[in-house]
Amino acid sequence: MRKEKLGIVKNVGVWLEGSPYLIVADYTGMKVEQFSELRNRLAGAKAEVHVVKNTFLRKALKEVGLPDLDLHLQGQTAVVYGESEVSSAAKVLKNFKSEFEKPAIRVGIVDRSVMSMENILAIADLPSREVLLAQLLGLINTPATRLASIIRVPASQLAQVLKANSEKTE
């Protein structure tokens, strides 16, 4: 492989190593304006999309030790990756596809595990990390609040009984 091509493979490998996820999509039939709009929307989700030759992507995946995606690397391939969570990028792709009917999600890699198109779309339906953490905190906090109110109620009832008893004796 020529020096220039090796440099491209190395750059793709750097993208892949720096991202907790990778989504492979087929951008066949997308217009330049649509692709630019997709880039802008993904930038809002702290993600990027790049067109990559399948052979370069195969070699880069192998070099960084990620799972093999040979079955899914055919035709025109765009790679989506980012520095934050996969759900926001997946949401952008899902919403964009519903609006423009492109790109078609093929496969993804999340935490070094291969995810099907269906799994990526399911991830897109999940709430954001912050919302999930808030829900978890609410679930954890609810039993403590109930326990405090249960403990408080008998104590106040006991105080009322004692007060009533002392008023009777006076």
Side-chain angles (χ1 to χ4, degrees):
M1 185 176 272
R2 289 192 331 219
K3 186 177 177 181
E4 298 84 21
K5 292 182 179 183
L6 287 174
I8 294 170
V9 170
K10 185 175 180 179
N11 284 342
V12 173
V14 169
W15 300 340
L16 299 178
E17 285 182 321
S19 176
Y21 66 90
L22 160 78
I23 301 173
V24 177
D26 182 350
Y27 70 97
T28 302
M30 284 183 72
K31 297 179 181 173
V32 173
E33 298 83 21
Q34 292 172 334
F35 202 82
S36 294
E37 178 64 24
L38 178 61
R39 278 196 173 145
N40 292 335
R41 291 185 189 184
L42 285 169
K46 296 181 181 173
E48 295 182 30
V49 61
H50 292 279
V51 173
V52 179
K53 282 184 71 171
N54 293 326
T55 54
F56 294 162
L57 184 56
R58 279 186 193 98
K59 288 181 190 283
L61 287 167
K62 187 174 183 178
E63 284 185 11
V64 297
L66 288 173
D68 182 26
L69 299 177
D70 274 351
L71 298 175
H72 305 281
L73 299 180
Q74 301 151 359
Q76 296 180 325
T77 301
V79 176
V80 177
Y81 64 93
E83 58 189 53
S84 64
E85 59 188 63
V86 66
S87 65
S88 50
K91 280 180 188 154
V92 169
L93 285 170
K94 183 178 179 180
N95 293 338
F96 197 87
K97 184 172 174 26
S98 67
E99 192 175 331
F100 294 101
E101 298 179 5
K102 293 170 178 47
I105 297 172
R106 290 186 196 155
V107 69
I109 298 175
V110 178
D111 291 329
R112 300 194 170 273
S113 299
V114 177
M115 300 282 177
S116 67
M117 175 197 59
E118 293 81 14
N119 291 341
I120 298 293
L121 293 175
I123 289 172
D125 293 333
L126 290 175
S128 70
R129 182 176 186 268
E130 290 78 20
V131 171
L132 287 173
L133 289 174
Q135 289 174 347
L136 178 62
L137 183 61
L139 288 173
I140 292 170
N141 204 14
T142 300
T145 306
R146 285 186 183 162
L147 179 62
S149 65
I150 289 171
I151 291 172
R152 222 175 323 146
V153 170
S156 65
Q157 288 175 347
L158 178 62
Q160 290 172 354
V161 168
L162 290 175
K163 182 179 177 186
N165 193 14
S166 69
E167 289 174 358
K168 272 187 191 176
T169 56
E170 291 178 359

